[in-house]
Amino acid sequence: MARPEPIRFRRSTLGEDVYETLKGLVLEHTLSPGDRINIDALAREFAVSPTPIREALARLESDGLVRKRPLVGYTVSPLLTRAEFTDMFEMRLLLECAATRWAAERTDAARRSAITTEAATTVVPEEDDPDGWHGAFTVLDARFHDLIAEASGNDLLRDGINRLHAHLHLHRRYFPYAQAGATVEEHRRIAAAIQAADPDGAEAAMREHLTRARERHLPAFD
């Protein structure tokens, strides 16, 4: 897909801007699964040196969105298979339900408040930038789940959840735009249970959310 206008970056945040832009191109399939990534061509297109491109690609490799192969360089990673999708949700149900229970049991008032505030945050689609809304919603969704993982008080558990990069891979495979509101309401129920220090309710709300999220993404495999 052609990008008709040149991309302009602020020098003060160059590395982060290049990373976010490349991540957006992968999520939106402007860079499609299997595409070979030409570092020099991207550097010319972005009007930057190859260094921030390489740094961004190294981060995207850590995210699982690109792969580096000897003698080939970077290519865009393939989409999740149905088997990988199933495995990922099994892991999320194990890890995130435990994290949510422990967050409700253990965390302090400041973190409970932060989770509640994050759950109440919404992203409004912009007619002239629907792709930007997709990316912003993905970031918001991931941040909410990471706050809960952090509030669990178990750094190893949080690291395990983050290593799945679930939100990037799910929203790259299929993004259920029409059901984003359901996600927001489910987040609010989880946050309310954590705020009330109700571990049973929090765990149940997270289990319901993940189960419904799995159902929302299943059409991608039809």
Side-chain angles (χ1 to χ4, degrees):
M1 183 184 300
R3 298 184 287 281
E5 296 183 2
I7 300 170
R8 300 287 181 243
F9 299 109
R10 293 172 295 174
R11 292 293 163 181
S12 60
T13 58
L14 179 63
E16 189 66 24
D17 289 350
V18 170
Y19 165 73
E20 290 294 339
T21 299
L22 283 177
K23 183 172 71 175
L25 296 179
V26 173
L27 287 175
E28 299 301 329
H29 293 205
T30 303
L31 290 172
S32 300
D35 279 358
R36 187 173 177 179
I37 298 172
N38 186 316
I39 292 174
D40 290 336
L42 284 173
R44 288 193 297 271
E45 179 179 349
F46 292 179
V48 299
S49 74
T51 299
I53 303 293
R54 291 193 183 96
E55 291 172 348
L57 289 171
R59 291 177 65 183
L60 291 173
E61 183 181 19
S62 177
D63 293 339
L65 294 179
V66 302
R67 295 178 176 180
K68 188 176 184 181
R69 297 166 54 196
L71 306 179
V72 175
Y74 287 101
T75 58
V76 180
S77 298
L79 297 175
L80 288 177
T81 65
R82 190 178 188 117
E84 290 167 339
F85 171 85
T86 298
D87 289 347
M88 185 178 69
F89 265 97
E90 287 177 350
M91 287 298 295
R92 291 190 73 187
L93 284 162
L94 284 171
L95 299 178
E96 294 200 54
C97 290
T100 307
R101 166 172 283 277
W102 291 341
E105 288 178 342
R106 301 173 177 177
T107 200
D108 57 26
R111 286 190 173 90
R112 293 182 203 276
S113 179
I115 291 167
T116 299
T117 299
E118 193 69 23
T121 303
T122 58
V123 179
V124 179
E126 297 183 11
E127 291 184 4
D128 61 343
D129 188 19
D131 292 350
W133 178 75
H134 175 182
F137 188 90
T138 300
V139 170
L140 187 69
D141 193 9
R143 191 166 60 216
F144 174 76
H145 284 264
D146 184 56
L147 281 173
I148 293 173
E150 180 186 34
S152 74
N154 187 315
D155 290 340
L156 287 177
L157 179 62
R158 182 188 184 190
D159 185 59
I161 291 168
N162 286 338
R163 284 177 181 273
L164 292 175
H165 300 294
H167 301 85
L168 291 178
H169 292 297
L170 285 174
H171 290 182
R172 178 177 169 231
R173 173 87 209 201
Y174 171 73
F175 189 76
Y177 287 93
Q179 301 180 64
T183 297
V184 172
E185 287 304 314
E186 290 159 17
H187 283 183
R188 288 173 177 169
R189 286 195 288 272
I190 294 165
I194 293 173
Q195 182 69 49
D198 175 7
D200 290 340
E203 181 178 356
M206 178 60 81
R207 188 173 302 280
E208 179 184 24
H209 169 51
L210 293 176
T211 299
R212 291 186 175 182
R214 180 169 56 190
E215 293 169 355
R216 285 193 285 268
H217 285 276
L218 274 175
F221 301 95
D222 289 344

